[in-house]
Amino acid sequence: GPQKNYYINFSTDKVVTQLNNGVLFPSYQPFTASSPSYQNPDFNGLFKMGLSDLFEDYNILAGLRIQTDFTAEYLLRFENRVKRLDKTLILHRITTNATTVDGYPLNLQTNEAQYVLKWPFSEVACIKGTAGLRSDRTVNQSIDLPSLEQTNQYETWASAKLEYIFDNTLNKGLNLYNGLRFKLFAEYYRDIDQSSSILPSPILPLFGEPNNAPTSSIGNNFYVVGCDFRYYQKIHRNLIWASRLAGSTSFGKEKLVYYLGGVDNWINPQFDYSTNIATDQNYAFQTLATPLRGFYENVRNGNTFFVMNNELRWPIFKYFLNRPIRSDFISNFQVIGFSDVGTAWSGPTPYSNQNAITTNVITQNPITVTLTSQNEPLVGGIGFGLRSRILGYFIRFDRAWGIENREILTPINYVSLSLDF
């Protein structure tokens, strides 16, 4: 027949409405020295809609997440996959509430814009580059005269990220793989202001930087480099041994602090406030280094971390039954045995005096006392878990015994909603 022009016609290819405790877009949280703790998302309402054209050359994704405290997260992503070089534009906004150590409420607002280029070398490998602009605003909520007199804090960051991604895994079932996947990445962040040559001054007010913003931090920067290797080995039939080795470090005038411990998407997460956080490292952002089961979040912290995870994943019913299983719960039911080991530290090595876990500074004017402890920086955890899909959610239960200073601790139970490790 005669050739006809193809006119781009979008149609809905994905609509998601659910409750969960995740985020729409992963990003570092601003580090607030007055409230040093990680702000885990509450159970929230999540809505996502995806649109694609007939050939899937273009894709649009819009998302909204509303938490129980009425803070919200918004995401808009546009992908252009017409040619080999994929182009993506991402707009992201998130607000969270926090509390200072003095009990004063804070509202943290982050706006981000990212432009991503991705070049695939083959079906299993690609290189990805990201240029971004980010604005962080810390609003002091007024509940009395001292908090009313506090000024809001503003920071605007330009960033660049380069990643090499490899993934030749084969999907053998829900959360069951064979093969290797890994990622190597490097990031650069720089604090900018209206006088910066990076952006013309009219743009910055759109991202929340007022004309009278403090300039003491202008020019601050930090670097992040890291890796994440995951290998999945078939032992027999659907019995899989999964292993992971991940690590990252940050350096520069400011740094990123990693909180080690816990699991991703932990329902009712717990933060260990008894672990010291170094006050001399100029932390700008914070993130979790997980999983390390057997402990709460922040069993160790610092600008460097590494963690090793091993899991034996056994879909017990699929393994023994050589016939189709109608029940989704029984078909995806897995028994897990695992071991985790890792640490996070500040300073050149985990055993240096700069590591916050080895020193404790107590100040009572006019006396300051520094206590040096003999804590072993390395911690580990062993245990077992159960996994299955219930009502469309992949629910994980883990019971883990932490190992610290060569002692086995009281076990901790985890319920979470994340896949893989």
Side-chain angles (χ1 to χ4, degrees), residues 392-413:
Y393 295 89
F394 188 68
I395 298 180
R396 305 154 49 108
F397 169 80
D398 292 298
R399 185 171 177 84
W401 286 261
I403 303 174
E404 183 179 20
N405 296 324
R406 300 179 179 85
E407 294 183 5
I408 299 179
L409 308 179
T410 303
I412 297 177
N413 296 327

Side-chain angles (χ1 to χ4, degrees), residues 187-207:
E187 300 176 75
Y188 174 69
Y189 284 79
R190 183 176 180 84
D191 200 349
I192 59 175
D193 76 324
Q194 292 191 34
S195 63
S196 170
S197 60
I198 298 177
L199 288 173
S201 59
I203 293 180
L204 287 174
L206 299 178
F207 287 83

Side-chain angles (χ1 to χ4, degrees), residues 149-222:
E149 295 174 345
Q150 293 291 323
T151 59
N152 297 334
Q153 303 297 316
Y154 299 85
E155 285 190 321
T156 304
W157 297 82
S159 65
K161 183 175 183 179
L162 185 65
E163 302 171 84
Y164 178 79
I165 302 169
F166 179 90
D167 187 349
N168 70 359
T169 55
L170 299 176
N171 192 341
K172 296 298 182 179
L174 184 61
N175 212 41
L176 298 171
Y177 308 96
N178 291 157
L180 171 68
R181 60 169 60 158
F182 69 86
K183 177 172 68 174
L184 308 173
F185 63 91
E187 300 176 75
Y188 174 69
Y189 284 79
R190 183 176 180 84
D191 200 349
I192 59 175
D193 76 324
Q194 292 191 34
S195 63
S196 170
S197 60
I198 298 177
L199 288 173
S201 59
I203 293 180
L204 287 174
L206 299 178
F207 287 83
E209 186 77 18
N211 294 328
N212 61 351
T215 59
S216 59
S217 63
I218 293 171
N220 283 352
N221 61 70
F222 70 93

Side-chain angles (χ1 to χ4, degrees), residues 86-104:
D86 297 337
K87 309 175 186 67
T88 304
L89 176 64
I90 299 171
L91 301 176
H92 177 240
R93 173 179 170 85
I94 185 172
T95 60
T96 56
N97 289 325
T99 305
T100 69
V101 292
D102 298 325
Y104 289 104

